[in-house]
């Protein structure tokens, strides 16, 4: 059905199809701008001078007129030229040192182990370990004679310690006090940190002893004596039998184990007693003249055994009159004269520029006078 042409509003002359389809925008009825009135005053901090204030008022009036007419607002760059905006304050420099301190704290608090810290802890733990033997102000008197007079000694673990002095100086008494064969009148003795007075059994358990006067059960055979030493130390029977065989081979006693100890020579008796002191593998060996009456071959064997024992952490304290032996074997030495320690330290520290024998003679009072024996230069026959 045809649509009447007057149903549509009249089109302007020259209109196109696209123009007809575009939305119709009503035109303003008047092109005269509307005066909105004076603009509001600017803030005091943005007003630099009366001239700039007038320019700002003019700009605001123009902006208001354009906004009323629907025109686009003024360019922000133009407004920046008219209004001076203070610059932003500079940013503070980064705090590097506090950050480093924070990192250090975080590293310290972290759970990751530090190998260097572990070594320090290990070094502290090793330094805090007790000495193998400590004597403090130890005194022992027999009647009016003070055999030991306030001796102080510290024997580090893993050392070959020599105790030297003239006859009657107090060496055997000192070693007997350490071994628990005598009780001191005053002072304290500790074996690997164990107080020998408060816990004598615990201290003796850590020691092996070779006394000066070899009192033993000489009616037993060598094998029976070593077995008795082993079970007396609480070792199992099978362990004792195995260690007897090892010690007999080391000390060359295999053929003598079946004989009674009373038939042994002085050197063989000393070797079997030393084997008995070693059978329970003690931490500390207390040896009084261990090489006396021992032949050179047996002495070399004993020395090899004791050197290996010390190299693996054991400690030996021994008395001897052989200055050359002590100088060659011992790492530390103490010189005892009249019950007192006159010199103590490493062998080099004690002897100084002299030999150990010369230093020993010097500390002992020198050589005695040999005058008055002229009669010995003649013969009675």
């Amino acid at each position: 059905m045809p649509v009447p042409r007057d149903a549509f509003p009249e089109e302007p002359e020259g209109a196109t199809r696209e123009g007809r389809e575009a939305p119709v925008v009503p035109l303003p009825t008047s092109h005269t701008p509307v005066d909105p009135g004076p603009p509001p005053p600017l803030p005091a901090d943005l007003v630099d001078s009366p001239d700039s204030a007038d320019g700002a008022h003019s700009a605001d009036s123009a902006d208001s007129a354009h906004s009323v007419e629907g025109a686009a607002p003024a360019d922000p760059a133009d407004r920046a030229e008219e209004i001076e905006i203070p610059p932003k304050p500079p940013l503070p420099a980064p705090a590097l040192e506090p950050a480093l301190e924070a990192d250090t704290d975080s590293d310290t608090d972290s759970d990751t182990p530090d190998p260097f810290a572990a070594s320090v802890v290990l070094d502290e733990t090793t330094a805090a370990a007790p000495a193998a033997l400590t004597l403090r102000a130890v005194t022992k008197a027999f009647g009016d004679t003070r055999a030991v007079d306030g001796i102080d000694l510290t024997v580090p673990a893993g050392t070959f310690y020599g105790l030297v002095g003239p006859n009657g100086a107090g060496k055997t008494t000192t070693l007997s006090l350490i071994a628990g064969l005598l009780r001191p009148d005053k002072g304290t003795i500790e074996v690997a940190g164990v107080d020998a007075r408060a816990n004598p059994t615990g201290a003796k358990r850590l020691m092996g002893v070779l006394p000066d006067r070899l009192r033993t059960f000489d009616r037993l055979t060598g094998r029976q004596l070593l077995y008795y030493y082993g079970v007396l130390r609480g070792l199992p029977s099978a362990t004792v039998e195995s260690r007897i065989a090892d010690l007999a081979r080391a000390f060359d006693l295999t053929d003598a184990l079946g004989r009674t100890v009373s038939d042994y020579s002085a050197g063989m008796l000393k070797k079997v007693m030393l084997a008995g002191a070693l059978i329970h593998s003690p931490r500390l060996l207390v040896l009084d003249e261990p090489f006396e009456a021992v032949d050179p071959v047996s002495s070399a064997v004993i020395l090899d055994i004791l050197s290996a024992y010390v190299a693996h952490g054991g400690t030996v304290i021994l008395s001897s009159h052989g200055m050359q032996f002590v100088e060659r074997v011992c790492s530390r030495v103490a010189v005892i004269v009249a019950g007192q320690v006159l010199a103590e330290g490493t062998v080099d520290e004690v002897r100084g520029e002299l030999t150990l024998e010369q230093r020993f003679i010097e500390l002992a009072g020198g050589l005695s006078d040999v005058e008055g024996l002229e009669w010995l230069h003649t013969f009675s026959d």
Side-chain angles (χ1 to χ4, degrees), residues 93-107:
L96 297 179
E97 294 181 356
L100 292 176
E101 293 177 357
D103 293 340
T104 304
D105 294 340
S106 62
D107 293 341

Side-chain angles (χ1 to χ4, degrees), residues 81-98:
E81 293 178 357
E82 299 169 0
I83 301 174
E84 182 179 357
I85 301 176
K88 293 183 179 180
L91 294 175
L96 297 179
E97 294 181 356

Side-chain angles (χ1 to χ4, degrees), residues 44-138:
D45 56 347
L46 297 181
V47 178
D48 294 334
S49 63
D51 296 337
S52 60
D54 295 338
H57 284 289
S58 302
D60 290 340
S61 301
D63 292 342
S64 301
H66 287 296
S67 62
V68 173
E69 298 177 12
D75 190 358
D78 297 337
R79 296 180 61 87
E81 293 178 357
E82 299 169 0
I83 301 174
E84 182 179 357
I85 301 176
K88 293 183 179 180
L91 294 175
L96 297 179
E97 294 181 356
L100 292 176
E101 293 177 357
D103 293 340
T104 304
D105 294 340
S106 62
D107 293 341
T108 304
D109 298 336
S110 65
D111 296 333
T112 304
D114 186 355
F116 296 100
S119 64
V120 171
V121 172
L122 182 61
D123 292 343
E124 290 176 356
T125 305
T126 306
L133 178 66
T134 305
L135 281 73
R136 292 289 177 266
V138 174

Side-chain angles (χ1 to χ4, degrees), residues 33-376:
V34 179
D35 187 4
L42 290 176
D45 56 347
L46 297 181
V47 178
D48 294 334
S49 63
D51 296 337
S52 60
D54 295 338
H57 284 289
S58 302
D60 290 340
S61 301
D63 292 342
S64 301
H66 287 296
S67 62
V68 173
E69 298 177 12
D75 190 358
D78 297 337
R79 296 180 61 87
E81 293 178 357
E82 299 169 0
I83 301 174
E84 182 179 357
I85 301 176
K88 293 183 179 180
L91 294 175
L96 297 179
E97 294 181 356
L100 292 176
E101 293 177 357
D103 293 340
T104 304
D105 294 340
S106 62
D107 293 341
T108 304
D109 298 336
S110 65
D111 296 333
T112 304
D114 186 355
F116 296 100
S119 64
V120 171
V121 172
L122 182 61
D123 292 343
E124 290 176 356
T125 305
T126 306
L133 178 66
T134 305
L135 281 73
R136 292 289 177 266
V138 174
T139 302
K140 182 64 180 179
F142 299 98
D144 295 333
T145 303
R146 281 198 171 189
V148 177
D149 190 6
I151 283 182
D152 291 328
L153 285 179
T154 299
V155 180
T159 58
F160 226 126
Y161 199 97
L163 209 59
V164 300
N167 292 329
K171 302 184 303 297
T172 296
T173 303
T174 300
L175 294 179
S176 297
L177 291 169
I178 294 170
L181 302 176
L182 294 174
R183 183 172 297 177
D185 299 332
K186 296 179 182 179
T188 59
I189 299 174
E190 291 185 358
V191 180
V194 178
D195 191 333
R197 183 184 293 274
N199 186 8
T201 303
K204 292 176 182 178
R205 188 177 290 116
L206 301 173
M207 288 186 288
V209 181
L210 178 66
D212 176 39
R213 299 169 181 85
L214 303 179
R215 305 182 184 92
T216 187
F217 303 100
D218 57 359
R219 294 189 179 182
L220 300 176
T221 65
R223 184 181 302 278
Q224 290 171 336
L225 183 63
L226 291 178
Y227 184 85
Y228 173 72
Y229 283 156
V231 296
L232 191 64
R233 293 291 188 174
L235 298 176
S237 178
T239 302
V240 173
E241 293 289 352
S242 174
R243 293 186 180 183
I244 288 175
D246 294 338
L247 291 168
R249 285 193 300 270
F251 287 98
D252 194 20
L253 292 172
T254 303
D255 296 336
L257 288 182
R259 292 157 46 192
T260 57
V261 175
S262 59
D263 294 336
Y264 284 6
S265 65
M268 291 180 63
L269 179 60
K270 185 149 291 190
K271 288 195 292 184
V272 75
M273 294 286 287
L274 182 56
L278 288 168
I279 196 167
H280 64 294
S281 186
R283 290 184 178 272
L284 174 67
L285 278 177
V286 183
L287 311 178
D288 197 350
E289 295 285 351
F291 297 95
E292 186 180 20
V294 180
D295 65 86
V297 175
S298 298
S299 295
V301 171
I302 292 173
L303 183 58
D304 287 343
I305 294 172
L306 295 180
S307 298
Y309 168 77
V310 171
H312 288 79
T315 306
V316 175
I317 179 170
L318 58 85
S319 64
S320 178
H321 289 111
M323 296 297 109
Q324 293 181 352
F325 168 80
V326 172
E327 194 170 16
R328 177 170 55 91
V329 172
C330 295
S331 53
R332 298 184 69 88
V333 64
V335 180
I336 297 181
V337 178
Q340 295 181 340
V341 177
L342 299 187
E344 194 277 338
T346 65
V347 174
D348 292 336
E349 291 172 348
V350 172
R351 68 186 177 186
E353 300 296 329
L354 307 174
T355 65
L356 186 60
E357 184 174 358
Q358 291 172 335
R359 179 62 171 159
F360 171 77
I361 293 174
E362 181 181 87
L363 292 172
L367 299 175
S368 60
D369 191 1
V370 294
E371 294 182 0
L373 296 177
E374 290 82 2
W375 55 266
L376 190 59

